[in-house]
Amino acid sequence: MRLTSGFLRSIVGGSWSLESGAQSLSFTKGGEERVTIAYFDLISVTITRGFSTGLKISSKSRSVEFNGLSESDANRFITEVKRLASRIVAEKINAISSDLLAIREKFLNAFEGDFYLNQSKISEIKQLLPSTLRLFDHPFFDARLIDPKLSDFAQEYSQFVNPASNLAVARNDKYVARKKNEYRSLFSSLEKYPLTDEQQTAVVTEEDNVLLNAAAGSGKSSVITAKIVYMLKEKQFEADQIAVFAFNRDTQKELAEKITRLCMKAGVNGDEITVKTFHSFSLEVISEVTKKKPSISKLSESKSSLYKFFDEKIKYLCATDSQFLDAFVTFNSVFKTASPDESAIQTKIDYDNYLIDLDGSRSRDPNTGEWRVTLRTMDGNEVKSLEELRISNWLFINGIDYEYERNYEVETTTAEKRQYRPDFYYPQIDVYHEHFALNASGSPPNYMTGYLDGVKWKRELHSSNETDLIETHSAHFHDGTVFDLLKSEFMKRGIKPQRRPSEIIDKIITETFNPDRDIDFLVTFLNHYKATTMTPEILKERANQHGDRSRANALIKVVLPLFNEYERALTREASLDYQDLLNHAATYIESGRFVSPYRYVLVDEFQDSSQSFLRLIRALKAQEEETKFFAVGDDWQSIYGFAGADIEVIRKFSGLFGYTKELFLTKTFRSFQEIVDVASRFVQANPNQVSKTVRSIREAGKKAVFLKTYIGIKPDQELLSLLESLNSIGLKQQARLSVFFLVRYSHLSPRLNGLPEKFRYLDVQIKTIHTSKGLEADYVFVIGVDGGKYGFP
């Protein structure tokens, strides 16, 4: 079969020809010499889609693409190549049929040994067997074409190399059951409580990559410790070949003490095991390679130092850089709020609820009497959408007078229609402005039935009355052109947008920028930016691909100047921050300047991994092909997003590390079942979380969770009232009660000015959510999750 680019395609994209022969395929591109690829060397032939349909052909030595094909021609060519390549492979196999049958018994003996069949074991066995056996691995192998005497062998081999095959799974399940029985006594006595069946399975599963999705309070540290004891008992690894990584010092210290204590109890020597935080390990790597211990930036020493730095730099840049000032004011007044996830907005009620989440107000429209939800603009107007809010605030900060929903100058009232009120009117130039909820295809959201009829009517009305109309669309927000378009339209009509006087700008900044909350957002962005080792060019490219391009580009104009100031500060100090530590260490490991001694790597709280943590782990694994990886995490407990953590590492684990055995710890020892049920429903409302059923060993036998939303005007008094009620319960029970107030941001912490002495039966603590690890209390109140002053969700 022969395919060519065709005359028109040749002119636009260059000429090519592609042909499938009996033994090989061949091609020419751009008039160059013909290239031949033997079918046996072929890896894949796949369809590509972009501006046109194409073919991608990959072999052991090259990869080449051919564009400008019809779907049917591409599929016919693939079918033909697969037929020919499969025949070639089958011919090679049939030619050595007797040789392959002769090694079947050797294969079966190797396969039946007493071991866990993981990926490294599969590789090891394949190396022991003749290379001819790997013909069964060929991507174009077709068992229907080979000698029938070989069919059973081919099937056995395919199940051997496939870790998810029934044969491999059954074999490994049998091995795991045998090992659990063999170590039953140890697993029952290692700690105060015997290991559960789930915990034991995790300990003796010996896959190269294991992801243990462990519910809160399910005993993950017990699994990590028992896993180490088990490996040392089995003599699979020496202690100095094992590394355990934690994300904070408290967990690292807890794990180190537990490993030492339980190894001693089990009679194995775990003294040489590495138990470190990622940052302390990175510090050692850099020191060993450079022979100099790096200095850690003073800005990294405390959160307050970093926040103070950014607060000062924002003030400095606003005072000295007019472009930054414009960008800063624009982002905070116009683009601070993110657009909604379109997939989550399916009805008008969904959109109204979204506006309410943005502090929208529900009221009756004074003109129609209908219920509506509105957002308040900076100059006091009530508008009906986020995009109208953005436009209104942009008009205000740029000194353009407007009237919102003023009556159209021509009477339009009929028995069926109310008086027409365009979105915006500009009295200086006598121009109307409609902002239509239309995407790039000119379509409104699905729930807006009849919307296009209204658009058509409005356009015709302006045309027939010869009134000047400016149009903007939702699509202009998505592609980032909305304000350039408006500016251009105003300039045509003699209005030049101008920044408000400095005293008004100062007032805008004061009203829209809250350092405690908003610098937290900037620091989170900085951590993600550095964790991915992204360049400004890549960041700008990503912004232009974002669904809300206007907001993304507005943010970049703020963050890049600030990040440049931050990097200059690090350079002046001749120091590194914590992201730099991880990135530098990963570079040294990747380059081989640091040689890893580790053959088994365990990571606790894996859900808190950022891209830089991930890079470090992959670098350690890549140095030695057989390095094994055991990760324990729970995407439900991811709390380090502010530090660059990306919970997608849980969902994409096998794509990052190769074939993975995913196990679960679903039994929690921490909470009552009634609390677990409420928390599970709440977490799994997010479709991006891994679905699992968590069971508690305890039941309260009564309702254990009450949801209370703060609606008062004196929050401190309401909190004191709650504490008085709890103190009364303690008095009645003659017991002290523990009470925790968890706050989203430190600036939302209750100002109780010291607890009254009469609260003798209460132990009260206040923590931010990301410092509440290991929280256990009789009563918990969560404050400000919705961003309000005091909210109790």
Side-chain angles (χ1 to χ4, degrees), residues 678-727:
V678 172
S680 295
R681 286 197 301 272
F682 174 75
V683 171
Q684 291 181 102
N686 179 355
N688 294 320
Q689 304 286 171
V690 175
S691 177
K692 57 178 173 279
T693 300
V694 180
R695 305 303 304 172
S696 174
I697 62 169
R698 298 182 294 169
E699 290 193 9
K702 61 183 179 180
K703 188 174 180 179
V705 177
F706 299 85
L707 303 181
K708 174 179 176 53
T709 302
Y710 174 76
I711 56 174
I713 58 174
K714 295 182 178 179
D716 291 342
Q717 284 189 12
E718 178 156 343
L719 294 182
L720 287 170
S721 177
L722 285 169
L723 293 174
E724 286 173 359
S725 299
L726 296 176
N727 191 68

Side-chain angles (χ1 to χ4, degrees), residues 167-309:
L167 181 68
V169 170
R171 185 191 187 289
N172 284 338
D173 285 348
K174 185 177 178 181
Y175 177 86
V176 166
R178 186 165 66 253
K179 284 298 180 182
K180 285 197 291 189
N181 186 59
E182 181 182 338
Y183 282 88
R184 189 170 305 280
S185 176
L186 176 67
F187 293 157
S188 297
S189 60
L190 197 58
E191 296 200 70
K192 181 179 179 181
Y193 297 105
L195 294 184
T196 66
D197 188 66
E198 286 180 329
Q199 290 173 320
Q200 291 180 48
T201 297
V203 169
V204 302
T205 295
E206 297 173 19
E207 188 51 72
D208 289 357
N209 299 305
V210 177
L211 173 61
L212 181 61
N213 202 315
S218 60
K220 58 185 177 57
S221 65
S222 295
V223 172
I224 291 173
T225 309
K227 182 83 176 176
I228 290 170
V229 169
Y230 171 75
M231 289 190 296
L232 293 175
K233 283 276 190 183
E234 286 279 292
K235 294 183 170 53
Q236 294 175 353
F237 301 94
E238 298 296 330
D240 59 2
Q241 294 179 310
I242 299 172
V244 183
F245 293 112
F247 284 87
N248 60 65
R249 290 175 185 169
D250 289 343
T251 303
Q252 177 263 330
K253 184 179 179 182
E254 176 188 324
L255 279 170
E257 291 174 350
K258 190 169 188 176
I259 289 168
T260 299
R261 175 168 49 84
L262 295 186
C263 280
M264 187 178 298
K265 182 177 181 179
V268 292
N269 185 358
D271 293 345
E272 298 299 315
I273 293 171
T274 296
V275 186
K276 294 187 178 297
T277 65
F278 278 106
H279 291 116
S280 64
F281 170 70
S282 297
L283 194 65
E284 287 189 7
V285 169
I286 296 169
S287 300
E288 182 177 321
V289 171
T290 64
K291 308 305 178 187
K292 294 179 181 178
K293 187 174 182 178
S295 298
I296 306 301
S297 170
K298 292 178 181 178
L299 297 177
S300 297
E301 290 178 353
S302 70
K303 194 173 180 180
S304 59
S305 298
L306 188 59
Y307 279 45
K308 181 182 178 183
F309 171 84

Side-chain angles (χ1 to χ4, degrees), residues 329-357:
V329 172
T330 298
F331 178 76
N332 282 285
S333 59
V334 178
F335 289 111
K336 195 160 202 173
T337 300
S339 296
D341 178 0
E342 292 181 2
S343 64
I345 307 295
Q346 300 297 323
T347 66
K348 178 66 165 60
I349 293 174
D350 289 339
Y351 191 73
D352 284 349
N353 287 336
Y354 164 74
L355 295 182
I356 289 172
D357 287 341

Side-chain angles (χ1 to χ4, degrees), residues 525-544:
F525 195 100
L526 170 65
N527 282 319
H528 281 283
Y529 176 65
K530 295 198 72 171
T532 55
T533 61
M534 200 180 295
T535 63
E537 291 71 29
I538 294 175
L539 185 61
K540 291 173 184 176
E541 183 180 332
R542 295 271 182 91
N544 285 323

